[in-house]
């Protein structure tokens, strides 16, 4: 018996662990592709299983759907992503993940005193910006921002 070359949306959902509605959403966002049968039913190539796995892993570590879509567009359509493809994609995301990790560590370390004291005392807050002196450096929480490299 020959392996099935195309999968229904239900089969993709079952194999990938992703809800049918999520698959429809991914497709609407251009992350995956299907074609329609003469009965107007979606059919997916088997490569979509690996693409969905990549999407799920990338989302889990905080990569935005826009970044995932851009990365997946660099891959040949209809071909199952390879180990080399994953290395290329994950290397491209590494710097952004390192920046986010640094940002989260700085946030965690900066909030420890406030959370620890319980009183949220404004005169002891490490985030306090008396008279908005940090506004000259730009918008946002300047003491919590990590400089981009």
């Amino acid at each position: 018996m020959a392996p099935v070359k195309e999968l229904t949306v239900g089969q993709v959902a079952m194999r990938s662990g992703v809800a049918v509605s999520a698959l429809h959403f991914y497709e609407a966002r251009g992350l995956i592709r299907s074609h329609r049968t003469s009965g107007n039913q979606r059919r997916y190539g088997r490569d979509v299983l690996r693409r969905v796995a990549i999407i799920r892993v990338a989302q889990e570590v905080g990569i935005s759907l826009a970044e995932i879509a851009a990365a997946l567009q660099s891959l040949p359509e209809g071909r199952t992503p390879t180990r080399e493809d994953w290395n290329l994609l994950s290397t491209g995301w590494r710097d952004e993940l390192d920046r986010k990790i640094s940002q989260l560590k700085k946030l965690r370390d900066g909030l420890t005193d406030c959370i620890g004291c319980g009183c949220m005392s404004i005169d002891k807050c490490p985030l306090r910006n008396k008279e908005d002196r940090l506004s000259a450096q730009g918008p946002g929480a300047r003491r919590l921002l990590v400089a981009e490299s």
Side-chain angles (χ1 to χ4, degrees):
M1 180 178 220
V4 177
K5 292 186 179 190
E6 293 185 330
L7 302 168
T8 66
V9 68
Q11 290 170 322
V12 173
M14 187 171 41
R15 291 281 313 278
S16 67
V18 173
V20 169
S21 59
L23 295 172
H24 292 169
F25 178 78
Y26 293 161
E27 190 171 351
R29 297 287 179 156
L31 297 164
I32 60 175
R33 290 205 173 112
S34 71
H35 72 277
R36 300 290 184 139
T37 66
S38 58
N40 202 29
Q41 296 175 330
R42 285 181 169 92
R43 292 293 185 266
Y44 296 90
R46 296 188 66 76
D47 64 291
V48 80
L49 293 172
R50 179 102 22 102
R51 291 174 188 269
V52 170
I54 288 171
I55 294 165
R56 291 187 72 194
V57 167
Q59 282 185 297
E60 188 69 28
V61 298
I63 306 298
S64 72
L65 284 178
E67 291 171 295
I68 296 168
L72 289 175
Q73 286 175 358
S74 71
L75 302 179
E77 187 61 37
R79 177 177 58 75
T80 301
T82 63
R83 181 180 304 272
E84 292 78 25
D85 293 331
W86 174 247
N87 285 336
L88 178 69
L89 297 180
S90 62
T91 299
W93 292 327
R94 189 175 321 264
D95 289 341
E96 178 62 15
L97 288 173
D98 286 342
R99 190 193 68 73
K100 286 180 182 179
I101 290 167
S102 294
Q103 183 72 44
L104 288 170
K105 284 181 178 178
K106 189 171 184 180
L107 177 62
R108 177 201 63 205
D109 295 346
L111 291 177
T112 300
D113 289 337
C114 287
I115 293 169
C117 77
C119 71
M120 299 296 284
S121 174
I122 196 69
D123 63 330
K124 294 181 181 180
C125 180
L127 305 179
R128 185 171 179 225
N129 181 16
K130 190 174 181 178
E131 297 171 7
D132 197 24
R133 290 181 301 218
L134 297 174
S135 66
Q137 296 177 16
R142 305 312 303 168
R143 290 191 175 131
L144 293 179
L145 295 176
V146 173
E148 293 187 33
S149 41

